[in-house]
Amino acid sequence: MYACVGDTDGVEFTFVSGHPALDLAATLTWRSSYPIELLVGPRDLSQWIEQAGLADVAGRVDDADVERMRKLREAVYRTASADLSDQQPRAGDLRLISRTAAGKQVTPVLEELGRAVWRGDVDQVRATVAHQACVLLGGSDYRRIRACVDTECTRLFIDHSRSGSRRWCDKQTCGGRANAAAYRRRRSQPSPR
């Protein structure tokens, strides 16, 4: 059972994964404890597309588009997290991502020097995200995919740190909560004298 947020006043999405396909995977949050669906309806998907910068205007989006994007999202999540749990990706997920990536992608339109806009319908956005997922998961960068160490958070991200030791999806949210909890633990312990 999922809690649903969105399709009323709109959702402000968070983009901290370092990759559009992993940011799409994060539109179902807190997967292990209390899943929250952020792509409830067409308006949410339109807002995600625009906030992600995948198209300047999302265009017409319907419930079927939302369902197809969710299927891609789940295939990307399972595939990206398979290596983290020492499992093999599902063959059906690999086929779905590859088949979707073969579609026509979003294209830039140069309107003037220094200004381009991204144009495409929701099918083109889905193909673009799938293409980027193929590039990520089919290249060596898939080894940089990490899961946030916050036990409640299920966000995946790319670790671009030089040492390869990034622990949290975001320093401000999950990292901040962990640091605050550690501080409270230290403060609650009697000082040795």
Side-chain angles (χ1 to χ4, degrees):
M1 170 155 245
Y2 298 150
C4 295
V5 174
D7 214 37
T8 53
D9 295 327
V11 175
E12 190 66 35
F13 293 96
T14 304
F15 299 92
V16 296
S17 297
H19 194 277
L22 299 181
D23 283 326
L24 174 63
T27 61
L28 179 61
T29 65
W30 309 101
R31 291 167 178 267
S32 61
S33 57
Y34 185 70
I36 299 173
E37 177 63 70
L38 300 179
L39 297 180
V40 177
R43 184 171 177 212
D44 301 315
L45 180 53
S46 293
Q47 289 179 337
W48 182 83
I49 289 168
E50 292 168 10
Q51 289 176 28
L54 292 165
D56 290 309
V57 177
R60 187 182 160 288
V61 178
D62 61 26
D63 289 328
D65 294 321
V66 174
E67 186 57 32
R68 284 190 294 272
M69 192 66 88
R70 285 181 187 162
K71 285 181 180 176
L72 175 62
R73 174 191 68 195
E74 294 309 302
V76 167
Y77 185 83
R78 285 189 298 264
T79 303
S81 60
D83 191 58
L84 299 174
S85 56
D86 294 323
Q87 297 183 6
Q88 290 296 313
R90 297 179 182 181
D93 288 341
L94 299 176
R95 281 192 303 274
L96 174 64
I97 295 167
S98 297
R99 189 174 57 245
T100 305
K104 183 179 175 189
Q105 296 183 38
V106 173
T107 56
V109 176
L110 185 62
E111 292 198 335
E112 60 185 71
L113 190 59
R115 183 169 183 264
V117 295
W118 292 91
R119 299 245 170 91
D121 60 24
V122 70
D123 290 330
Q124 290 171 283
V125 168
R126 195 170 45 258
T128 300
V129 172
H131 177 268
Q132 292 175 351
C134 284
V135 171
L136 171 64
L137 299 169
S140 61
D141 272 354
Y142 89 91
R143 295 267 183 213
R144 293 179 162 273
I145 296 174
R146 307 279 187 271
C148 184
V149 297
D150 182 321
T151 56
E152 296 295 312
C153 181
T154 54
R155 185 184 290 271
L156 302 174
F157 61 89
I158 299 179
D159 182 359
H160 289 295
S161 69
R162 185 174 288 170
S163 64
S165 61
R166 183 173 155 196
R167 301 180 65 212
W168 296 289
C169 63
D170 183 43
K171 285 189 219 178
Q172 307 305 316
T173 54
C174 291
R177 278 193 302 274
N179 290 336
Y183 176 76
R184 284 191 302 276
R185 279 193 304 276
R186 287 192 306 272
R187 298 279 295 165
S188 68
Q189 296 173 351
S191 60
R193 290 192 183 185

